[in-house]
Amino acid sequence: MQVRFPYKNQGSFIKLGDIKTPPDTSYSVAEIIDISAGGAKLRLPSQDIKEETLMITKIGLPGISASLPVLTKVQWIEKESEKTCIAGIKFILGN
């Protein structure tokens, strides 16, 4: 298991499409809760996100107005409230 580090920062994501679903057309806001070498935990708005969903996740960098785009895959999801869920994402590839 990889060491996880608290990482309170803003991020964003856009779901990539598949054979049944077209890709999103705009980024949605996410809150990064923690991060490791292999992935991160995000707080997302409750929407149609499923395990195995591929996304481009932009990780906000502290102290500057820049972000790091990374190809990610949703590993697990837990409903937090009517408006939010917590998702574990795996880093697939960095830009």
Side-chain angles (χ1 to χ4, degrees):
M1 181 175 227
Q2 295 182 353
V3 178
R4 304 195 74 73
F5 299 96
Y7 191 85
K8 306 289 183 202
N9 211 333
Q10 286 292 108
S12 60
F13 68 96
I14 190 166
K15 294 184 293 185
L16 302 179
D18 59 26
I19 198 159
K20 296 180 183 178
T21 310
D24 284 352
T25 56
S26 62
Y27 280 85
S28 298
V29 174
E31 177 188 346
I32 303 165
I33 297 170
D34 67 30
I35 196 164
S36 73
K41 186 190 305 182
L42 307 178
R43 179 172 286 115
L44 309 172
S46 288
Q47 53 181 277
D48 189 28
I49 294 180
K50 300 176 182 130
E51 290 180 10
E52 303 294 316
T53 298
L54 290 175
M55 307 187 303
I56 300 292
T57 303
K58 290 185 176 180
I59 310 254
L61 301 175
I64 59 174
S65 58
S67 61
L68 179 67
V70 182
L71 179 60
T72 59
K73 181 170 75 169
V74 177
Q75 297 294 101
W76 55 266
I77 300 170
E78 293 176 358
K79 185 172 180 167
E80 183 178 49
S81 71
E82 286 297 315
K83 295 183 179 182
T84 61
C85 64
I86 304 294
I89 60 168
K90 178 181 179 180
F91 299 145
I92 304 296
L93 183 64
N95 282 348

